[in-house]
């Protein structure tokens, strides 16, 4: 397997063919159907068709069908099973925001485009909604015919079966690997690395990680906080920069450090690992232990003592405007941190990188209320616009009718024509011709094209925000790119700092506030 390199894959003959195809395309009429080419590949092997060949084959197909190529959506190293078309980086942009710019979506083979029947059904619905067609180079697919629709469903079913078989094989491999003492597949837990022994793949202890973990254990037994622990480990060079308290705690709580095989425990809302038991009901040993069972148990007890006073994490998150409130000094998000003391809970807004989280601002709700008031003061009266899709088919049909009528009257007004025989018929025909010409001139050329239009839904930003509450406003602010710098200033003799908020609003905020319906919002 290898990563695809665009510059390296185009040969001289490929480029020559590309130029020939572009010259042929230049001869097409202006109203030729427009084609978008979709090129996808998860991995490039000797058995797969390279993206260059896919693109050239699709350009030949477009030439044969009389399509003008308006773009190439190239999504490489992307799995069609895991990532549907509307979530791919390039193709997703075309589908979600550039639908008016093409008439047909061309792809090399259905399994290069889609591998799930549910995704295929979604794309067919999307094509029907926007009047687009799906065309395959190597499959009999054409949504404009009944046969083509039947074929796309049958081929899609085969592609899904193939993907399911692949998934089953992978799952079987993982299930088998979990029962073995050898290391067959996967990434080892922190503290271990793969090695070869007697031709077998085994796990060995990484010396630097072993030193870091035992150092962390000693700090935990002394009551050092996880935050302080992570800072010391990074400064010592034993662990990489960017180490978080969550990461160091997850590493220290992993039973794999005793040399046992583990699996992820997906219950409880936390990332934890649990022991896997063998047929004899005992843990499966796959590596030498970094911690003995006694050392591991005393470590867990120390971590529990340090963390027992922390209140449980809220399911939806404690910070209402996460990603909006920013520290101006370290440019990280402000988050709510909760502590308990003598039976009382305390909440503070702190940043991520300033020393000790910067000056903690108590009463997060008060900060939120000020932020909401500032936002509504600036944006409250903005009209909310909704992006809607407008078809140009009706206007195009009217233009065609008028042009045909005008051509008819012009021809019949020529000498020897039907309306040139008498003065009365000529005058009446000329009046009708003038009327038709005026009607044609009154049609805006833009309305003959499929396009996005903005429609005012009758509400202001204030009304929409009041209906949706803080969560809806926070989502809108993140979508638009509005942030708020939160400055905390120490006041002498006062424990709580002074808090000042400063909104940062993009210049094109009106355009960003436009609500764009998501055709794929309910799809997995």
């Amino acid at each position: 397997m290898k990563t695809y390199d665009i510059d390296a894959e185009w040969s001289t003959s490929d480029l020559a063919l590309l130029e020939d195809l572009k010259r042929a395309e230049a001869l097409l009429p202006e109203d030729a159907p427009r084609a978008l080419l979709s090129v996808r590949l998860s991995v490039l092997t000797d058995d797969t068709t390279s993206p260059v060949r896919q693109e050239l084959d699709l350009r030949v197909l477009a030439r044969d069908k009389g399509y003008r190529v308006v773009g190439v959506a190239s999504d490489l190293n992307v799995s069609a099973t895991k990532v549907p078309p509307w979530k791919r980086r390039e193709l997703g942009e075309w589908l979600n925001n550039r639908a008016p710019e093409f008439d047909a979506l061309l792809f090399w083979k259905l399994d290069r485009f889609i591998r799930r029947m549910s995704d295929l059904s979604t794309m067919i619905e999307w094509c029907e909604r926007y009047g687009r067609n799906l065309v395959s180079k190597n499959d009999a697919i054409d949504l404009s015919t009944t046969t083509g629709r039947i074929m796309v469903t049958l081929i899609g079913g085969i592609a899904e079966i193939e993907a399911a078989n692949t998934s089953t094989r992978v799952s079987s491999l993982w299930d088998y690997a979990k029962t073995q003492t050898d290391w067959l597949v996967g990434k080892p837990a922190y503290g271990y690395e793969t090695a070869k022994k007697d031709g077998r793949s085994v796990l060995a202890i990484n010396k630097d990680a072993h030193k870091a973990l035992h150092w962390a254990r000693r700090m935990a037994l002394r009551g050092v906080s996880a935050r302080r622990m992570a800072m010391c480990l990074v400064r010592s060079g034993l662990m990489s920069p960017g180490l978080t308290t969550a990461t160091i705690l997850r590493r220290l709580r992993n039973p794999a450090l005793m040399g046992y095989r583990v699996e992820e425990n997906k219950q409880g809302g936390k990332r934890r690992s649990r022991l896997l038991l063998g047929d004899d009901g005992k843990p499966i040993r796959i590596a030498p232990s970094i911690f003995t069972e006694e050392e591991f148990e005393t470590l867990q007890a120390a971590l529990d003592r340090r963390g027992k006073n922390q209140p449980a994490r809220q399911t939806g998150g404690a910070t209402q405007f996460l990603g909006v409130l920013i520290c101006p000094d370290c440019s990280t998000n402000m988050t709510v941190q909760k502590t308990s003391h003598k039976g009382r809970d305390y909440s503070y807004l702190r940043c991520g990188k300033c020393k000790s989280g910067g000056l903690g601002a108590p009463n997060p709700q008060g900060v939120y209320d000020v932020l909401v008031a500032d936002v509504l003061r600036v944006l409250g009266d903005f009209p909310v616009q909704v992006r809607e899709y407008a078809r140009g088919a009706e206007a195009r049909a009217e233009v065609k009718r008028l042009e045909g009528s005008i051509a008819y009257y012009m021809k019949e007004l020529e000498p020897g024509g039907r309306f040139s025989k008498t003065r009365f018929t000529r005058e009446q025909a000329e009046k009708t011709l003038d009327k038709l010409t005026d009607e044609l001139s009154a049609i805006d050329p833009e309305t003959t094209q499929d396009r996005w239009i903005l429609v005012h839904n009758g509400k202001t930003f204030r009304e929409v925000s009041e209906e949706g509450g803080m969560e809806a406003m926070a989502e809108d602010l993140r979508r638009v790119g509005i942030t708020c710098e939160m400055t905390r200033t120490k006041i002498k003799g006062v424990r709580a700092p002074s808090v000042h908020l400063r909104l940062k609003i993009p210049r094109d905020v009106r355009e960003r506030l436009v609500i764009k319906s998501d055709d794929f919002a309910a799809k997995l």
Side-chain angles (χ1 to χ4, degrees):
M1 298 184 295
K2 62 179 180 178
T3 303
Y4 173 67
D5 186 339
I6 295 178
D7 295 331
E9 293 294 329
W10 286 88
S11 66
T12 303
S13 59
D14 291 334
L15 293 173
L17 176 57
L18 178 63
E19 290 302 316
D20 290 341
L21 293 171
K22 287 184 176 181
R23 281 193 293 268
E25 183 181 296
L27 302 176
L28 293 173
E30 291 186 5
D31 60 348
R34 301 159 300 170
L36 170 66
L37 312 184
S38 174
V39 176
R40 187 205 64 82
L41 198 64
S42 53
V43 290
L44 181 59
T45 67
D46 294 335
D47 298 325
T48 58
T49 304
S50 74
V52 169
R53 179 47 49 193
Q54 288 185 45
E55 179 177 338
L56 289 175
D57 285 351
L58 291 177
R59 285 185 177 275
V60 171
L61 176 63
R63 180 198 62 188
D64 295 342
K65 289 185 171 291
Y67 289 143
R68 182 189 307 281
V69 177
V70 294
V72 179
S74 183
D75 293 291
L76 307 179
N77 305 314
V78 173
S79 167
T81 304
K82 297 179 180 179
V83 185
W86 55 89
K87 287 189 177 181
R88 295 170 197 164
R89 186 174 62 87
E90 293 198 15
L91 183 55
E93 172 64 20
W94 283 90
L95 295 177
N96 289 292
N97 299 312
R98 303 180 65 179
E101 300 180 32
F102 65 96
D103 302 301
L105 178 57
L106 277 58
F107 48 90
W108 194 78
K109 206 172 185 296
L110 189 59
D111 62 3
R112 287 285 172 265
F113 178 58
I114 250 171
R115 278 184 177 265
R116 294 169 61 94
M117 282 297 294
S118 57
D119 293 346
L120 178 60
S121 176
T122 298
M123 284 306 306
I124 292 175
E125 292 176 4
W126 185 89
C127 289
E128 290 176 342
R129 184 181 305 117
Y130 291 102
R132 300 295 178 260
N133 195 8
L134 294 177
V135 181
S136 172
K137 166 68 177 176
N138 293 295
D139 303 302
I141 295 175
D142 187 342
L143 295 183
S144 62
T145 66
T146 302
T147 303
R149 291 174 61 86
I150 294 174
M151 285 300 298
V152 75
T153 303
L154 291 175
I155 298 172
I158 295 172
E160 183 171 9
I161 291 172
E162 182 182 348
N165 289 338
T166 301
S167 177
T168 300
R169 289 193 296 270
V170 173
S171 298
S172 297
L173 173 60
W174 279 103
D175 290 340
Y176 173 74
K178 289 178 181 179
T179 64
Q180 304 303 303
T181 55
D182 291 343
W183 189 258
L184 302 180
V185 65
K187 181 180 179 181
Y190 178 81
Y192 294 96
E193 58 189 7
T194 57
K196 289 292 184 180
K197 181 180 180 180
D198 299 330
R200 298 181 297 112
S201 180
V202 297
L203 293 185
I205 296 176
N206 181 286
K207 294 182 179 180
D208 290 337
H210 181 276
K211 181 178 180 180
L213 289 167
H214 276 272
W215 191 6
R217 179 179 178 275
R218 289 193 292 270
M219 286 191 285
L221 294 178
R222 295 200 305 269
V224 176
S225 68
R227 183 183 181 87
R228 178 69 177 173
M229 196 186 303
M231 186 184 303
C232 293
L233 288 169
V234 170
R235 287 180 177 176
S236 69
L238 290 175
M239 290 191 182
S240 59
L243 178 69
T244 64
T245 55
T247 299
I248 185 62
L249 287 174
R250 187 166 62 250
R251 289 174 177 177
L252 292 175
R253 289 190 178 276
N254 193 349
L257 298 179
M258 294 182 287
Y260 296 134
R261 184 177 291 282
V262 299
E263 67 176 355
E264 184 179 3
N265 182 9
K266 298 182 179 180
Q267 298 178 351
K270 297 180 180 180
R271 289 187 61 186
R272 291 286 187 265
S273 296
R274 63 184 176 189
L275 292 172
L276 275 173
L277 303 181
D279 295 336
D280 56 359
K282 298 180 180 180
I284 303 172
R285 180 168 295 280
I286 58 172
S289 61
I290 294 176
F291 294 142
T292 64
E293 292 190 15
E294 182 181 355
E295 289 173 335
F296 186 77
E297 292 300 329
T298 55
L299 170 61
Q300 303 313 301
L303 295 176
D304 290 340
R305 285 195 300 272
R306 180 71 192 183
K308 68 180 180 180
N309 290 327
Q310 299 300 320
R313 183 184 297 271
Q314 295 183 14
T315 304
T319 310
Q320 293 292 330
F321 285 89
L322 185 63
V324 177
L325 287 169
I326 306 293
C327 172
D329 297 321
C330 66
S331 300
T332 60
N333 293 331
M334 303 296 300
T335 58
V336 171
Q337 297 183 12
K338 294 188 175 184
T339 58
S340 295
H341 182 67
K342 294 183 179 180
R344 297 185 61 183
D345 294 337
Y346 299 89
S347 299
Y348 297 89
L349 278 166
R350 296 185 182 275
C351 56
K353 291 186 178 179
C354 289
K355 184 178 180 180
S356 300
L359 295 173
N363 188 19
Q365 186 60 49
V367 175
Y368 301 153
D369 292 341
V370 174
L371 173 59
V372 169
D374 288 349
V375 170
L376 293 180
R377 176 175 51 81
V378 178
L379 304 177
D381 296 330
F382 278 24
V384 175
Q385 293 180 307
V386 179
R387 187 184 72 169
E388 294 184 357
Y389 192 76
R391 292 178 177 272
E394 185 175 342
R396 288 195 297 270
E398 181 64 8
V399 167
K400 185 176 181 180
R401 183 189 70 81
L402 291 172
E403 288 177 344
S405 299
I406 290 172
Y408 169 76
Y409 276 90
M410 291 180 66
K411 180 179 179 181
E412 297 299 334
L413 282 169
E414 294 177 355
R418 177 182 176 185
F419 302 126
S420 65
K421 296 179 180 179
T422 66
R423 178 180 178 182
F424 175 77
T425 56
R426 173 176 288 277
E427 289 177 351
Q428 292 299 315
E430 288 175 346
K431 288 180 180 180
T432 302
L433 181 60
D434 290 340
K435 178 183 177 182
L436 293 171
T437 303
D438 292 340
E439 290 178 2
L440 181 62
S441 300
I443 297 177
D444 185 350
E446 185 178 345
T447 63
T448 64
Q449 304 297 322
D450 291 355
R451 66 205 182 280
W452 295 112
I453 59 174
L454 301 182
V455 179
H456 179 31
N457 69 356
K459 295 182 179 180
T460 63
F461 183 77
R462 182 189 309 277
E463 293 170 332
V464 172
S465 298
E466 289 174 350
E467 291 176 0
M470 280 192 182
E471 291 185 3
M473 176 182 283
E475 181 62 32
D476 282 337
L477 296 183
R478 286 189 289 266
R479 175 175 61 86
V480 173
I482 294 176
T483 58
C484 179
E485 292 184 343
M486 179 178 164
T487 303
R488 294 94 73 204
T489 306
K490 177 66 176 176
I491 302 177
K492 187 176 182 179
V494 180
R495 183 173 183 179
S498 172
V499 176
H500 174 72
L501 302 182
R502 176 174 174 265
L503 284 177
K504 299 184 70 175
I505 302 176
R507 292 184 178 181
D508 58 345
V509 64
R510 287 183 179 270
E511 291 76 13
R512 295 191 182 199
L513 279 173
V514 172
I515 298 176
K516 301 176 182 178
S517 60
D518 188 353
D519 297 309
F520 309 104
K523 308 301 180 183
L524 298 177

